[in-house]
Amino acid sequence: MLLKTEEIKRKVIHLGNSVIPLSYYFFVQDRITMVWILFSVTIFFVTVDYFRYHIEWIQKWFGIFFSSMLRKHELEGKLTGATWAFIGGTISVFIFEKDIAVLALLFMSVGDTVAALIGQRYGRIKIGKKTIEGFAGGLVSCIFISIFFPSVIWINRIAGSLTASLIELSSIPVDDNLMIPIMAGGVMTLFRGMIL
């Protein structure tokens, strides 16, 4: 099955969410500074989401550039996936240690993207709206990414990868851009505490 151009664009933008954890990892040393940066950006995105639904000319211009990539619920005025990504990023950086927050957010941006693209292109075995093939692709990509974080021991990385992939596979009503980093980060934090 060939992927629609709009879906590819959406996933490329979703992959761009990696800028959140990578900026934190390489450029911003202080957790509180990063929280304030993300919180400020989140407020901006929430404000845009609100006004694009309530002010006609903003809705018009937003639609010209982004409507083809938005899901039905986003077109109806719900928060966009990008807004949820910044909300998830803000919460994750605030509550988790740096290495776990960065890894959990990479699971959200990279793992979720790989799962969606593989599932839509090669998926045959369905579980609800998702596929086993997409789940496997997302899981492998998360595990691969986690190799670059030796400060998180291997069992934590596997547990976090599996959690992120199961969240992506599920059909829970809460946006997975929020749920993946919080749940994966929470599991890795729990395992770290139990092992230590």
Side-chain angles (χ1 to χ4, degrees), residues 55-66:
I55 298 179
E56 186 175 345
W57 68 268
I58 294 179
Q59 187 176 39
K60 176 183 176 181
W61 284 102
F62 195 91
I64 290 173
F65 291 103
F66 300 111

Side-chain angles (χ1 to χ4, degrees), residues 25 96-104 107 142-143 145-161 184-185 187-193 195-196:
Y25 190 75
F96 300 131
E97 295 178 26
K98 185 171 186 174
D99 53 355
I100 286 180
V102 170
L103 190 52
F107 289 164
C142 287
I143 293 173
I145 290 167
S146 74
I147 293 172
F148 299 96
F149 292 81
S151 61
V152 181
I153 64 173
W154 70 270
I155 192 168
N156 285 28
R157 300 196 304 260
I158 297 296
S161 298
V187 167
M188 288 188 284
T189 298
L190 177 63
F191 269 70
R192 172 173 281 180
I195 293 169
L196 293 178

Side-chain angles (χ1 to χ4, degrees), residues 71-90:
R71 303 283 191 240
K72 182 175 182 291
H73 66 277
E74 294 170 330
L75 289 170
E76 293 173 348
K78 303 295 185 182
L79 297 179
T80 63
T83 301
W84 282 116
F86 278 102
I87 294 172
T90 303

Side-chain angles (χ1 to χ4, degrees), residues 124-191:
R124 297 291 182 273
I125 307 171
K126 293 276 190 176
I127 295 183
K129 295 181 179 180
K130 305 296 179 68
T131 68
I132 291 295
E133 294 85 352
F135 166 79
L139 179 59
V140 169
S141 67
C142 287
I143 293 173
F144 176 76
I145 290 167
S146 74
I147 293 172
F148 299 96
F149 292 81
S151 61
V152 181
I153 64 173
W154 70 270
I155 192 168
N156 285 28
R157 300 196 304 260
I158 297 296
S161 298
L162 183 59
T163 300
S165 300
L166 287 172
I167 293 294
E168 197 282 330
L169 179 65
S170 69
S171 298
I172 55 176
V174 182
D175 195 284
D176 58 9
N177 290 340
L178 174 68
M179 293 301 295
I180 287 175
I182 291 177
M183 295 302 294
V187 167
M188 288 188 284
T189 298
L190 177 63
F191 269 70

